[in-house]
Amino acid sequence: MLFLVAALLLLGVVMGSVAHAPLTVSLVAASVIGVWLVVFALRERGARRRHPSVN
């Protein structure tokens, strides 16, 4: 969960500075954040499959 909060915070900072940065820098940053979120989602999905909840 902390990683998700950090990713969203970083996304907010990048989106705030995107008006002042070149397009290539913005696209690279967006790609890095997107890959980070996809990896996080896949890890969470894998963890839930290995350890199903009690409910």
Side-chain angles (χ1 to χ4, degrees), residues 1-13 33 36-37 40:
M1 186 67 180
L2 182 61
F3 293 118
L4 184 57
V5 171
L8 290 174
L9 179 66
L10 183 59
L11 179 63
V13 169
I33 293 170
W36 185 16
L37 289 173
F40 175 79

Side-chain angles (χ1 to χ4, degrees), residues 16-55:
S17 65
V18 77
H20 305 287
L23 181 61
T24 54
V25 173
S26 301
L27 291 176
V28 168
S31 299
V32 168
I33 293 170
V35 168
W36 185 16
L37 289 173
V38 168
V39 168
F40 175 79
L42 291 175
R43 288 181 60 204
E44 286 295 312
R45 175 181 270 186
R48 289 180 192 216
R49 285 187 179 178
R50 277 184 247 122
H51 303 290
S53 63
V54 177
N55 299 352

